[in-house]
Amino acid sequence: MMKFKRLFFSLVLLAASAMSNIASADNYSLWINGRTGGGVVGNYNSFTYWGPATTAAGVNKKSVNWDGYNSIASQNGKIRDALDCFCTGNNWCYIATHSAGDLMLGYTLANYGSTSRMKKNASANSSGQCGNSDGTAQTGWNIKWVRAASGAGGGSELSDAGSWAVSEPLVKDLKTATARAMYNHNNTANVWFYMYAGAKGTVYSGILPGQDDEAVAYHSSGGVAGSAGSSLCNPSDWFCNDLTLGTAANEGGSVKWSFHSVAFRDDNEAYNHYANSNWQGIISVVRSAMVSSAL
């Protein structure tokens, strides 16, 4: 009888421990900014880059801030800190990026997505770093998927032409040839990138090939592979090859990088590149998707 009681209590403790582990599991929505930055680096509740922090933007939203000025390589540790904090152990992440944030996250996953990471406790200090949870490690991060608003993983011709301040280290990284050669864009650690391509361009963005949102052309925001940017448009444009939805090859034969799929193409040319401190432009489309699907 005594053995039975000990066995019973052992099973109860195991069940309680399992329930505790389940209860501690959380999902987080991470937002990774692009060029210019604006949020307080290390403060995951600082949404200055995006808009009002009170705006719904996914479950347990966190702003992964980096300076938006220095090189991708030099700022990359800030992204790894956030992924370690919120995307390890029992916790999982939904990720949204904007513009150069796509280049930043692509670089991170290609170079560190299969490395050993200590499991963290999701409680960050003022530097944006979290403590270890149980002393164990895992390979890579727990990421459900990525939604990229005007992704600049393929660079921008505005950087090539010096339309932005050429002294900025990030602008040098954003040159189309440099961005495309920076890392293996096909290596995403098996994480899917869903691309959202805006098309409300303007006169000065004429140097951008095909359709664009004033800063990034479809070849980049559509996750199109190749060593240089190609000219891609909406189906309504008769003089330019179409950017296709999903993973299919584009009209003319160009293909997307592995694990990249076009989720939204701005056929009505309604969305530009900019948040305007109020979650606007192509960011608004991604925000709606994060709210509805990051549950």
Side-chain angles (χ1 to χ4, degrees):
M1 185 67 177
M2 188 62 68
K3 289 182 178 179
F4 174 78
K5 287 183 178 179
R6 284 199 295 267
L7 177 61
F8 174 78
F9 284 118
S10 295
L11 291 173
V12 169
L13 288 173
L14 285 172
S17 176
M19 289 300 292
S20 175
N21 287 336
I22 292 173
S24 65
D26 285 304
N27 291 334
Y28 292 91
S29 298
L30 305 188
W31 287 81
I32 303 176
N33 65 262
R35 181 174 172 263
T36 72
V40 178
V41 177
N43 181 352
Y44 297 120
N45 296 313
S46 175
F47 281 85
T48 306
Y49 178 90
W50 307 98
T54 54
T55 301
V59 61
N60 293 326
K61 67 180 185 294
K62 301 292 180 182
S63 186
V64 181
N65 298 306
W66 58 288
D67 69 10
Y69 174 87
N70 283 298
S71 69
I72 294 295
S74 69
Q75 289 289 297
N76 188 250
K78 306 298 183 185
I79 311 306
R80 299 199 304 274
D81 284 345
L83 297 180
D84 288 346
C85 273
F86 303 111
C87 317
T88 57
N90 294 323
N91 299 330
W92 283 79
C93 290
Y94 305 92
I95 301 180
T97 67
H98 179 232
S99 194
D102 173 48
L103 184 68
M104 176 66 85
L105 184 61
Y107 177 94
T108 305
L109 293 179
N111 288 288
Y112 302 98
S114 298
T115 61
S116 179
R117 318 303 306 176
M118 293 300 295
K119 297 175 185 176
K120 300 293 183 177
N121 60 15
S123 180
N125 61 22
S126 60
S127 297
Q129 298 174 327
C130 295
N132 293 339
S133 60
D134 61 7
T136 64
Q138 67 177 65
T139 300
W141 296 285
N142 307 328
I143 299 173
K144 298 278 190 179
W145 38 250
V146 178
R147 297 189 184 274
S150 187
S156 172
E157 285 77 9
L158 294 186
S159 182
D160 295 349
S163 297
W164 292 323
V166 294
S167 61
E168 293 181 23
L170 178 61
V171 168
K172 296 177 182 178
D173 281 353
L174 284 170
K175 291 183 177 181
T176 51
T178 302
R180 289 172 174 274
M182 187 178 294
Y183 59 92
N184 180 1
H185 289 57
N186 292 304
N187 179 9
T188 68
N190 297 327
V191 174
W192 277 96
F193 279 60
Y194 294 102
M195 313 302 290
Y196 290 70
K200 190 178 181 180
T202 189
V203 175
Y204 69 77
S205 62
I207 61 175
L208 294 165
Q211 222 85 45
D212 67 84
D213 63 1
E214 298 188 31
V216 177
Y218 267 11
H219 70 77
S220 182
S221 57
V224 180
S227 59
S230 54
S231 181
L232 293 164
C233 298
N234 291 326
S236 59
D237 192 330
W238 292 358
F239 304 103
C240 180
N241 287 328
D242 297 351
L243 173 71
T244 59
L245 293 172
T247 60
N250 303 303
E251 184 181 25
S254 63
V255 299
K256 290 140 189 159
W257 287 303
S258 301
F259 293 96
H260 285 69
S261 177
V262 175
F264 177 83
R265 181 187 60 208
D266 187 10
D267 290 355
N268 294 322
E269 302 181 19
Y271 299 99
N272 71 6
H273 188 78
Y274 304 103
N276 292 323
S277 300
N278 199 28
W279 301 91
Q280 293 181 3
I282 192 64
I283 292 167
S284 68
V285 184
V286 170
R287 187 193 68 79
S288 294
M290 292 289 283
V291 170
S292 64
S293 58
L295 302 174

